[in-house]
Amino acid sequence: MLKRFFGQIKIYAVVMLFYLFRVFPIKKNKIVISNFAGRGYGNEGKQLVENLQALNKNLDIVWLCTKKDEKFPKGIRAVKSVSIKSIYEQATARVWIDNRRKDLDVRKRKKQYYVQVWHGSGPCLKYIEADAADMMTKHYVLSAKNDSKMANLMTSGCEWRTGLIKRSYWYSGEIFRCDFDKDFSNDEQVQKIRQTVYKYFNFDPNGKIILYAPTFRNNFNLECYDIDYEKVLQELSDKFGGKWYFIIRLHPNISHLNDKIKYSSQIINGSLYSDVEDLISCSEYFITDFSGCMFDAYKLGVKVILYASDFESYVSSERNLYFDLKQLPAEFTDSTDKLIGVMKDFNLDAYEQKRKELLDLIGYYKQGPIDLAKRINDEILKS
C-alpha cells in the first residue's frame, strides 16, 4: 500500500513538472529521442538521426539515456532519462521520437509533434496491445492509450503491421509506411557489417555463427533457455568442420540477467551488442522461440529454427500467437537433439519456398528512414 502511495506521488510530481516547464517556449529545432526507455544509440532513433542530420545541420538533438558514460556522435546531447532535466528537454522540444510506450505521467503540448516508431517494422508473433490487454497491467494499458492519444504519427513497415495498428493499438491517427530494416542487397555493405561484428567479438574470420535470441518470460525465468550449446557446437563442427560460435542474445527486458548464463570462448554474450539485425545477417542459423526477430531473419534469408521446450505453458499462460508455428517456414523443435537434427539436415528448398510465400503475405514497404526523416524535417521547417 505504501509503495503504491509513493508511486502515485511520483506520477503527480512528474506531471506537474511537465506543466511547470510550459513557461519556457518550444524550441522548434529541438528533437528528443528515447530508445527503449534509456538504452543507448541504436535502433530506429539512430537511423532517423543520421538521416535528419544529413537534411538539416541546425538541429538540437537530445538523446535520453540511462548510462552516464554513454558515447554519442557529434551533434547529439546525452541527457539522463530519469531526471528533471529530461522533463525540461521533452517539455521544450518540437519533436519527440520513441520506439516504445511513454509512461502515463508524460504530457505533450499542442504544438509538439510526436512520432511513435515502435520497435520492429515487420509482423509480431505474440499478441500485443489491445489483443493482450487482459494479460497486461492496468497501468500499462492506461499508458498505452495515453501514448496513442499523444502520437501524431505511427510507423509501420508492412501491410500486416498496418492492419494490426489500426485494430489493436488504440490509435486512429496517421500511419506512415516506413520499413526500418537495413538494405542488405549491397554486398559491400554486408561485408562491412560482417567485418564489424567479427571484430567486435574477436571471431575467427572463417568461423560461422549460430544466433540464439529467445523472447522473455513474464516471471523472468531462464530455465527455458536449456539448449546444450556445447553439444550443438560439437555436432556442427563434426558435421561441417570449421569453427562455430554460439551467440546468445537475451530480450531487452531480461538482458540484465545475461551473467546467469555460462559463457566460453565459443558461447558468447551478445545481449550488449547494439544491433540485432547485424547479428542476424551474419548468422548461419537463427534460433528463437516466440520472438518477432524471426521475421527479420526470414526477410534476410537466414536459416530459422524454432526452439521452445516450454511451448505449451508459454502459450497457455503468457501470450497467444498471431501465427500458427507449424505454418511458418521454420521447423519447430523442443529438445537439443531435435534441434541438432534439423540443423544438420536443413531442407533449404522447402524452407525457401515457404519463406517467399510468407514475405508475399507480409507485404513489406519500400519507403525507408530517409522518407520519414524528410517528413519530420518538413514538420520542423513549417513550425
Side-chain angles (χ1 to χ4, degrees):
M1 179 69 78
L2 195 60
K3 183 178 180 181
R4 183 179 177 183
F5 172 76
F6 282 112
Q8 289 296 321
I9 293 296
K10 180 184 176 184
I11 290 174
Y12 292 138
V14 172
V15 171
M16 289 304 297
L17 284 171
F18 268 102
Y19 284 117
L20 178 64
F21 286 133
R22 290 186 177 187
V23 300
F24 298 98
I26 292 173
K27 190 176 179 182
K28 70 176 186 178
N29 68 329
K30 183 192 289 186
I31 300 175
V32 174
I33 300 176
S34 181
N35 174 32
F36 287 111
R39 290 189 72 181
Y41 186 60
N43 297 298
E44 296 82 6
K46 175 183 176 182
Q47 295 183 59
L48 284 176
V49 163
E50 291 172 349
N51 285 290
L52 282 165
Q53 287 180 319
L55 293 169
N56 190 337
K57 303 297 184 184
N58 190 38
L59 295 176
D60 179 17
I61 299 174
V62 177
W63 197 290
L64 304 182
C65 57
T66 55
K67 293 183 179 179
K68 293 181 179 180
D69 59 346
E70 185 75 34
K71 294 182 179 179
F72 289 90
K74 184 179 179 180
I76 300 176
R77 294 193 289 121
V79 172
K80 191 175 180 181
S81 55
V82 182
S83 67
I84 293 176
K85 184 171 175 57
S86 76
I87 299 173
Y88 166 78
E89 299 290 359
Q90 291 175 80
T92 57
R94 170 69 174 109
V95 176
W96 292 350
I97 298 172
D98 207 333
N99 65 355
R100 61 168 284 177
R101 295 298 195 183
K102 290 188 178 297
D103 212 344
L104 188 58
D105 49 20
V106 177
R107 294 293 183 272
K108 184 171 79 77
R109 298 164 74 170
K110 287 184 178 179
K111 292 186 178 181
Q112 292 182 307
Y113 193 78
Y114 176 28
V115 184
Q116 170 54 263
V117 295
W118 203 250
H119 43 282
S121 297
C124 304
L125 180 66
K126 308 180 293 292
Y127 275 23
I128 61 172
E129 299 302 285
D131 294 337
D134 60 337
M135 306 190 78
M136 294 175 173
T137 64
K138 181 180 179 180
H139 180 87
Y140 178 84
V141 172
L142 290 174
S143 297
K145 290 180 177 180
N146 182 59
D147 184 82
S148 285
K149 184 179 179 181
M150 292 191 297
N152 298 95
L153 195 67
M154 274 197 172
T155 63
S156 168
C158 64
E159 280 296 314
W160 191 97
R161 185 180 283 264
T162 297
L164 180 66
I165 291 174
K166 290 178 178 179
R167 184 181 73 247
S168 305
Y169 276 54
W170 297 291
Y171 178 75
S172 58
E174 182 183 356
I175 300 173
F176 191 89
R177 286 141 173 87
C178 168
D179 183 7
F180 277 96
D181 292 343
K182 294 179 182 178
D183 180 9
F184 287 91
S185 60
N186 187 312
D187 291 339
E188 185 177 341
Q189 181 188 11
V190 171
Q191 189 60 34
K192 185 177 179 180
I193 290 172
R194 179 183 173 87
Q195 289 172 357
T196 300
V197 169
Y198 274 63
K199 182 179 180 181
Y200 179 91
F201 291 107
N202 196 28
F203 286 169
D204 180 336
N206 297 314
K208 293 184 178 181
I209 295 173
I210 306 162
L211 177 60
Y212 178 42
T215 194
F216 69 99
R217 300 327 189 245
N218 288 336
N219 61 5
F220 291 176
N221 181 20
L222 300 184
E223 292 179 4
C224 55
Y225 310 145
D226 54 0
I227 296 173
D228 187 336
Y229 309 114
E230 292 183 354
K231 185 175 182 180
V232 172
L233 289 170
Q234 186 61 56
E235 290 281 351
L236 292 188
S237 180
D238 291 344
K239 169 81 174 182
F240 302 111
K243 191 120 182 183
W244 288 78
Y245 300 97
F246 217 127
I247 296 179
I248 302 168
R249 183 183 174 87
L250 299 182
H251 188 279
N253 285 1
I254 55 170
S255 59
H256 62 285
L257 301 175
N258 64 69
D259 59 348
K260 302 295 184 183
I261 295 175
K262 185 179 179 180
Y263 300 106
S264 68
S265 61
Q266 289 178 261
I267 302 172
I268 310 298
N269 176 10
S271 297
L272 302 180
Y273 193 83
S274 62
D275 197 326
V276 66
E277 197 176 10
D278 287 358
L279 296 183
I280 293 173
S281 71
C282 297
S283 300
E284 187 73 14
Y285 297 99
F286 176 70
I287 304 170
T288 188
D289 44 20
F290 311 102
S291 170
C293 286
M294 72 170 68
F295 296 104
D296 296 328
Y298 289 138
K299 188 178 180 184
L300 291 171
V302 176
K303 301 170 186 173
V304 180
I305 304 173
L306 304 182
Y307 177 89
S309 57
D310 65 338
F311 174 79
E312 296 297 337
S313 63
Y314 182 90
V315 174
S316 63
S317 64
E318 301 221 11
R319 301 276 189 95
N320 288 321
L321 305 179
Y322 289 116
F323 291 84
D324 181 350
L325 293 183
K326 294 179 181 178
Q327 300 301 315
L328 292 174
E331 288 197 49
F332 176 79
T333 63
D334 57 8
S335 71
T336 295
D337 287 340
K338 290 179 181 177
L339 175 65
I340 291 171
V342 172
M343 296 173 85
K344 291 168 72 173
D345 300 311
F346 197 91
N347 189 333
L348 188 58
D349 290 338
Y351 176 77
E352 279 298 305
Q353 182 177 343
K354 281 191 171 184
R355 187 180 72 86
K356 291 174 181 176
E357 291 172 356
L358 178 64
L359 294 183
D360 288 340
L361 172 68
I362 292 170
Y364 284 101
Y365 299 133
K366 295 187 181 300
Q367 286 193 121
I370 181 63
D371 300 289
L372 179 57
K374 289 176 181 176
R375 173 64 178 277
I376 294 171
N377 193 52
D378 288 344
E379 290 291 333
I380 293 170
L381 293 175
K382 76 180 184 182
S383 61

